[in-house]
Amino acid sequence: MPKDKDELEQFEEQEEEEVEESSEEYIQESAITAETPTNTPPSILIDVTYDGKAGKALLKLYDFINDRIYYWYDNTGHRPYLITDIPPEEVASKYRAVFRVKGFDHMDVVSKFDPLEMRQKTYTIIYAKDPLSIGGGRESIRDLLPRSWEARIKYHLSYIYDNGLIPGMFYRVENGKLTRVGVEVPGDIRKLGEELYAGDDEYLGAFREWLPLFQAPVPPLKRVAVDIEVYTPQENKIPNPREAMYEIIAIGLAGSDGLKRVLLLRRPGMEMNPDEVGMLLSSDVELMFFDSERDLLKEFFKEIMAYPILVTFNGDSFDLTYIYNRALKLGFRKEELPIVLTRDGEARYVLGVHIDLYKFFSIRAVEVYAFGGKYSGGEKTLDAIASALLGISKVEREKPIGELSYIELANYNFRDALLTLYLTTFNNELTMKLIVLLARISKTPLNDVSRYQVSAWIRNMVYFEHRRRGWLIPNKEDVINAKGGVATKALIKNKKYAGAIVIEPVAGIYPSVYVLDFASLYPSIIKRWNLSYETVRCPDEKQANDPGNKPVPNLPHWVCTNMRGLTSLLVGLLRDMRVYVYKRLAKSEKDPQQKDYYNVVQAALKVFINASYGVFGAEIFPLYCPPLAELVTALGRLAITKTIVKALDLGLTPIYGDTDSLFLYNPDMGKLEELVNWVKEELGIDIELDKAYRILALSGRKKNYAGILQDGSVDMKGLVGKKRNTPDIAKEAVKDVVHLFSTIGGIGDVEKVTEAIKDRVKEYYLMIRNKDVPLDKLAIKMAVNKPISDYTKNTPQHVKAAELLSKYGVKVGPGDIIFFVKTSTKEGVKPVQLARIDEIDVDKYVEYLRTSLEQILDALGISFENIVGSRLM
DNA sequence: GCGGACTGCTTACCT
DNA sequence: ACAGGTAAGCAGTCCGCG
């Protein structure tokens, strides 16, 4: 199993550039099925998919009490369809070919609300017997018509929307009919919403609708983590999972029910040394030996089928794909296998759901918002993520896989399976709960939630609401055509519109600084100003010409006041539920289990809220709406500017601010409160005290400061000394100096501490001058973000170092971090492995030390040159 | 032929 | 591949320089 980044990359799909989103679903090649009873106990809906053989939507339900998986096939006659504005008679006369499509079923007339034209319209709906006949197949109805809508929505999602299904919620089958199981909501929580939204039936209704999704518990989902080892004749060469040429010699299984097992292949010439048994890392791991690989796989398939959820780390690209192809090679028939490979590189688990944690943890929004960037900045390997989240450090393997003894192999193999399982169990099953909650909010099956980015989740959530309201889902081009382009210019080249404001900070040391922060500024703006793709620049002339409908005076965009915007309502609701309900509950709840759960709820909500503005400025989002995005940032600029003016008015002293924050120097507490109230009153947005510094050092650069908070902790932002690529020696110097800085108790200490800092700086300077530093502390660690061959415009230093490395046979690819030092050799750089201390370019490192330290020294008004003497060498 | 001013590319950060 | 704004370093280009 590949664990290193470059190894992972080898299996990333290269050719699957699916430009067109097809409605095609995977072909169910497997004949394995679960029971389909006419009555079931309450069960959790874990997957919704399309079964090509049955030609129907298929729901997978997990009954966690009796530990059973059930299938439920659609029996309502639901069919794939598309919508067109061509009347049926015209279809019949002008587009007769539609009827000749083999999967054509029938036509009908429907009335839908067009959110762009903002009126009810009549459409023709054309049904097909299978998704491919709508679009994606050899001959499809979509391709025969000049205009169609909703023809690119994948069928299983369409099925979810039309039936109001919520993946992750509880359902039961009663006399063959699928029904949702009710959820008990405590009266005091319901009351919170009733008070919050008194008199606003739209919000109140939505609140009641959404509450059960958060109140329904997430039951323990039985799962098994899987990891395989493959024999390879060449060391450091990872076997190709598509070819599956070599033997699978071990499969590790770690179950949430306590299963600890390694299936091992007996190999000629390898003996089991009985003395070694005591060396098993976990003594209760059960080893099972097999004489044939076929039997080993047979046992594997049998074992996993006791679980509704299969968990892997990179199983889509490696483990499960390898197993699948290897099984075919060994004579298994496709129908016998519980795994199916899809065209877009997924390895699906037929009975339940396969969750590939490599994919899930690679989702940017999960990484940043749900896990607070804890594993950011490094490699996304099992070891790296496990070490960041679980604090388990890496165990090195000393020999090639093929040379390990049975016990060594079992230890190595089982450990990875166990780590994979741990990634789903730590913090009270945080990961599983998060996935289920994300599925509920987005109406997306667990399978897709764990594989698609946040824009797909938000798309699904919003599409679901369209269908619920009987709205037509517009095509992407319709939105752009109706809403037009932008009116502002970005400061950064190649960006589409203007963003946030950053206030120019004045360098200096400031005792007692209070920071005010707009509470989720952009979502609040979306709520407060009724911003939604359909309300912004709505088609009503009267609305367009009413100056009162222009939220930003110097922007030409107006916003509809007649109806509440869909996304405004959704974002507003989710934001309120997070702030007023689940953050509060998470704080007040006594039961630790329940407290943890509320925290997962508020973290899941955070993901959606934080991404809600960005998607409207992202071209890949199907409701991409630049005027909406630019209104949000413009209103943000207005909010912070007005707040600053008011602050000055009140005699407060703003010294810095960035986007949604305002730094106030030594404020009068009464005035501060006055400002907060004014903002709430006049701007209709919440602003709150975020943090307070005992002392703050502004370097004079934007996004760049260090401060000591009231609890004595250091808060460093943007300083070079904090960046990953800065050599450790410079980082240490900064850390040292900041520590000295933190000893400043009052303004009276400044001089004394300044002297101490000067001395320390000089020490570091001399250390570098005298090359009295270990080489690895001089290493610059910089990531390669694309294939080396793609650096055509220029050759940055880290790429030069990478090229030197490749001469020694070290392969470098995207995601790899290059360690290099600056040398006085011809290239100017060398990979740290190849360099000697006497080749170091001392001046360059003094320069590094200078820029790192100056960001602190500038605040203190000290010059680096003064300390070290302007010595040019 | 060389150095300074400049632009553009690249990475890592902030909100 | 949810957004834009900023710091910093280096590569490469242009231009002046009697």
Side-chain angles (χ1 to χ4, degrees):
Chain A
M1 157 84 230
K3 287 289 145 30
D4 296 317
K5 185 69 198 177
D6 57 332
E7 295 172 352
L8 290 176
E9 288 310 321
Q10 292 184 9
F11 306 110
E12 292 302 318
E13 297 307 303
Q14 279 136 20
E15 77 275 21
E16 338 273 303
E17 244 29 275
E18 279 239 347
V19 185
E20 295 249 317
E21 189 182 336
S22 85
S23 323
E24 204 263 329
E25 309 293 326
Y26 78 101
I27 308 298
Q28 179 78 270
E29 291 157 315
S30 173
I32 288 171
T33 61
E35 28 179 341
T36 55
T38 44
N39 289 291
T40 73
S43 307
I44 180 167
L45 177 59
I46 55 171
D47 201 14
V48 177
T49 180
Y50 176 73
D51 184 332
K53 254 198 307 248
K56 285 175 182 166
L58 163 62
L59 276 62
K60 297 175 190 171
L61 296 156
Y62 175 57
D63 165 7
F64 53 95
I65 304 273
N66 303 299
D67 186 21
R68 293 188 124 126
I69 300 161
Y70 308 118
Y71 274 7
W72 183 82
Y73 285 97
D74 173 70
N75 54 19
T76 68
H78 188 274
R79 289 207 178 287
Y81 60 82
L82 61 69
I83 288 166
T84 178
D85 59 354
I86 303 165
E89 315 82 68
E90 201 181 323
V91 174
S93 59
K94 276 203 193 158
Y95 304 99
R96 281 211 63 80
V98 166
F99 303 149
R100 288 194 293 270
V101 172
K102 219 164 78 210
F104 171 83
D105 197 79
H106 70 287
M107 278 194 300
D108 215 334
V109 169
V110 286
S111 174
K112 291 215 164 220
F113 178 77
D114 175 356
L116 290 175
E117 290 189 22
M118 283 219 173
R119 62 188 181 92
Q120 204 69 25
K121 288 169 72 175
T122 303
Y123 296 92
T124 305
I125 179 164
I126 303 179
Y127 294 94
K129 297 188 177 76
D130 61 286
L132 278 176
S133 299
I134 292 295
R138 191 159 300 157
E139 52 165 12
S140 68
I141 300 168
R142 183 174 82 194
D143 299 336
L144 296 170
L145 295 170
R147 291 181 305 282
S148 62
W149 286 270
E150 309 192 12
R152 287 167 196 277
I153 298 171
K154 288 190 174 159
Y155 180 64
H156 70 287
L157 297 175
S158 183
Y159 189 85
I160 288 176
Y161 308 151
D162 278 335
N163 292 285
L165 295 177
I166 304 179
M169 289 297 275
F170 300 91
Y171 290 82
R172 69 189 308 164
V173 180
E174 280 174 320
N175 296 320
K177 207 168 157 266
L178 186 80
T179 43
R180 207 169 118 191
V181 176
V183 176
E184 200 73 48
V185 176
D188 49 334
I189 298 183
R190 210 170 340 131
K191 256 210 196 113
L192 280 175
E194 280 156 15
E195 283 160 19
L196 189 59
Y197 297 129
D200 190 333
D201 288 346
E202 211 174 350
Y203 260 102
L204 193 55
F207 182 85
R208 290 192 177 127
E209 196 77 38
W210 280 81
L211 208 46
L213 312 209
F214 306 123
Q215 285 303 312
V218 177
L221 290 171
K222 193 175 154 195
R223 57 201 179 270
V224 61
V226 174
D227 182 64
I228 72 168
E229 308 303 334
V230 174
Y231 173 80
T232 134
Q234 295 141 287
E235 197 183 344
N236 286 333
K237 192 144 186 261
I238 304 301
N240 182 326
R242 258 177 281 226
E243 294 165 0
M245 291 221 296
Y246 305 108
E247 288 170 323
I248 295 171
I249 52 176
I251 301 183
L253 298 157
S256 61
D257 56 348
L259 177 76
K260 294 179 170 185
R261 190 166 290 170
V262 179
L263 316 181
L264 288 161
L265 182 67
R266 267 205 196 91
R267 283 174 288 160
M270 273 192 91
E271 290 305 314
M272 177 70 188
N273 180 354
D275 301 343
E276 257 195 311
V277 171
M279 288 169 61
L280 269 181
L281 287 179
S282 317
S283 54
D284 47 349
V285 173
E286 198 185 326
L287 303 184
M288 277 177 91
F289 285 89
F290 296 86
D291 289 318
S292 90
E293 203 185 347
R294 201 171 196 286
D295 289 343
L296 186 150
L297 286 182
K298 211 167 177 180
E299 175 66 21
F300 168 73
F301 295 140
K302 198 188 93 197
E303 298 214 12
I304 59 170
M305 280 172 38
Y307 296 83
I309 312 266
L310 208 56
V311 187
T312 65
F313 194 88
N314 205 28
D316 272 354
S317 301
F318 188 76
D319 303 59
L320 296 192
T321 301
Y322 202 102
I323 289 174
Y324 182 86
N325 288 321
R326 188 71 189 164
L328 293 185
K329 265 211 151 95
L330 293 173
F332 284 90
R333 285 169 295 118
K334 284 181 177 176
E335 309 87 75
E336 295 176 87
L337 305 181
I339 295 165
V340 173
L341 302 185
T342 73
R343 289 199 317 197
D344 42 352
E346 292 178 19
R348 299 223 182 177
Y349 171 43
V350 175
L351 264 194
V353 178
H354 164 218
I355 291 173
D356 182 339
L357 292 178
Y358 171 63
K359 289 207 171 146
F360 181 68
F361 283 108
S362 299
I363 298 171
R364 273 291 288 173
V366 169
E367 181 181 338
V368 177
Y369 301 129
F371 291 102
K374 281 201 192 94
Y375 57 91
S376 292
E379 304 164 308
K380 263 169 213 65
T381 60
L382 176 58
D383 276 311
I385 294 177
S387 118
L389 293 179
L390 313 171
I392 299 172
S393 58
K394 193 178 162 110
V395 176
E396 292 290 339
R397 166 169 56 81
E398 277 138 22
K399 293 185 241 174
I401 293 283
E403 290 171 24
L404 297 176
S405 74
Y406 289 125
I407 294 292
E408 287 168 331
L409 180 64
N411 279 338
Y412 180 74
N413 181 219
F414 184 71
R415 181 181 158 279
D416 281 353
L418 200 59
L419 279 189
T420 305
L421 178 69
Y422 281 173
L423 282 179
T424 71
T425 56
F426 79 103
N427 267 11
N428 213 345
E429 311 239 318
L430 167 62
T431 302
M432 293 312 289
K433 286 177 181 163
L434 189 63
I435 290 175
V436 169
L437 276 162
L438 294 172
R440 288 179 187 167
I441 298 171
S442 64
K443 323 297 191 283
T444 307
L446 306 201
N447 181 72
D448 300 18
V449 157
S450 60
R451 285 175 176 78
Y452 291 91
Q453 298 287 332
V454 68
S455 59
W457 305 345
I458 294 183
R459 176 200 66 200
N460 292 353
M461 174 175 84
V462 177
Y463 279 7
F464 182 94
E465 296 297 325
H466 274 68
R467 286 268 175 94
R468 212 160 69 88
R469 289 165 167 75
W471 287 19
L472 179 79
I473 298 171
N475 289 329
K476 208 170 138 183
E477 315 81 71
D478 301 343
V479 183
I480 283 291
N481 290 339
K483 303 301 173 179
V486 293
T488 58
K489 261 191 71 175
L491 293 172
I492 310 170
K493 224 184 103 185
N494 295 328
K495 298 284 184 188
K496 292 161 288 193
Y497 56 91
I501 288 187
V502 188
I503 312 296
E504 191 78 47
V506 179
I509 299 289
Y510 300 86
S512 179
V513 172
Y514 284 71
V515 182
L516 292 182
D517 209 291
F518 288 102
S520 43
L521 178 63
Y522 289 173
S524 302
I525 287 172
I526 290 174
K527 180 188 181 194
R528 160 77 177 74
W529 294 96
N530 197 30
L531 302 184
S532 193
Y533 79 92
E534 78 279 13
T535 52
V536 169
R537 300 182 71 94
C538 64
D540 184 350
E541 284 286 321
K542 266 209 290 256
Q543 298 266 331
N545 295 322
D546 182 350
N549 289 352
K550 278 176 62 184
V552 181
N554 49 14
L555 276 189
H557 309 313
W558 64 93
V559 181
C560 174
T561 51
N562 287 346
M563 66 177 286
R564 186 167 265 145
L566 175 57
T567 53
S568 176
L569 174 77
L570 280 175
V571 172
L573 180 79
L574 296 185
R575 176 197 168 273
D576 290 347
M577 291 189 99
R578 172 164 187 256
V579 177
Y580 298 122
V581 183
Y582 289 99
K583 279 196 103 171
R584 284 190 192 170
L585 286 173
K587 213 167 188 181
S588 64
E589 178 64 45
K590 294 281 176 293
D591 174 45
Q593 289 261 0
Q594 195 58 24
K595 195 185 183 83
D596 276 352
Y597 178 69
Y598 287 141
N599 266 318
V600 185
V601 173
Q602 70 89 8
L605 285 167
K606 185 178 173 186
V607 172
F608 285 85
I609 296 160
N610 284 348
S612 63
Y613 140 75
V615 292
F616 286 107
E619 275 140 313
I620 45 125
F621 188 61
L623 299 172
Y624 173 51
C625 184
L628 162 43
E630 107 179 313
L631 262 180
V632 173
T633 55
L635 284 162
R637 292 193 297 273
L638 222 51
I640 191 168
T641 323
K642 283 183 176 171
T643 307
I644 290 170
V645 170
K646 182 67 185 177
L648 290 169
D649 217 37
L650 288 169
L652 292 162
T653 316
I655 51 170
Y656 178 60
D658 184 349
T659 312
D660 60 357
S661 64
L662 198 56
F663 289 53
L664 297 167
Y665 168 56
N666 197 20
D668 175 286
M669 284 305 153
K671 297 283 185 197
L672 194 83
E673 205 188 317
E674 208 178 315
L675 181 65
V676 167
N677 291 333
W678 180 87
V679 168
K680 279 182 189 161
E681 204 71 8
E682 294 298 313
L683 305 181
I685 309 174
D686 287 346
I687 194 166
E688 59 199 19
L689 185 64
D690 182 37
K691 51 190 175 181
Y693 294 103
R694 275 206 318 237
I695 190 155
L696 178 73
L698 291 182
S699 71
R701 298 157 185 81
K702 293 172 175 178
K703 301 183 189 285
N704 193 289
Y705 56 86
I708 310 302
L709 293 164
Q710 276 175 337
D711 64 1
S713 61
V714 175
D715 190 32
M716 231 162 70
K717 298 286 180 188
L719 302 193
V720 169
K722 198 187 161 172
K723 296 198 176 186
R724 188 182 66 202
N725 54 5
T726 303
D728 285 349
I729 187 70
K731 275 190 190 164
E732 276 173 27
V734 169
K735 206 173 140 200
D736 254 18
V737 168
V738 169
H739 178 256
L740 284 171
F741 169 73
S742 76
T743 62
I744 298 179
I747 208 85
D749 299 340
V750 171
E751 203 158 322
K752 192 180 70 203
V753 172
T754 302
E755 283 312 309
I757 287 176
K758 282 184 181 169
D759 290 345
R760 189 60 54 88
V761 171
K762 184 128 201 179
E763 281 170 33
Y764 274 99
Y765 169 74
L766 290 175
M767 243 197 285
I768 288 176
R769 268 271 164 251
N770 301 332
K771 298 189 175 177
D772 192 13
V773 183
L775 203 55
D776 56 306
K777 284 196 182 184
L778 297 174
I780 295 158
K781 289 157 273 197
M782 207 174 278
V784 173
N785 285 337
K786 52 188 183 187
I788 293 294
S789 55
D790 285 11
Y791 288 88
T792 50
K793 311 252 162 100
N794 54 21
T795 314
Q797 293 194 320
H798 64 296
V799 176
K800 278 193 186 127
E803 280 167 353
L804 287 172
L805 270 181
S806 69
K807 281 188 191 152
Y808 287 80
V810 185
K811 266 205 209 140
V812 178
D816 285 325
I817 295 170
I818 311 292
F819 287 50
F820 68 93
V821 291
K822 305 205 180 209
T823 57
S824 32
T825 56
K826 189 163 55 169
E827 288 87 2
V829 293
K830 268 196 175 183
V832 71
Q833 303 97 302
L834 306 178
R836 295 188 315 266
I837 187 77
D838 57 272
E839 300 174 303
I840 292 301
D841 184 340
V842 167
D843 287 336
K844 284 273 172 23
Y845 280 94
V846 171
E847 202 47 28
Y848 238 116
L849 188 69
R850 189 175 65 77
T851 46
S852 308
L853 289 174
E854 253 175 5
Q855 298 182 342
I856 312 283
L857 300 182
D858 283 354
L860 291 156
I862 318 171
S863 113
F864 184 79
E865 260 77 32
N866 271 353
I867 302 175
V868 303
S870 51
R871 188 172 150 195
L872 299 167
M873 281 190 67

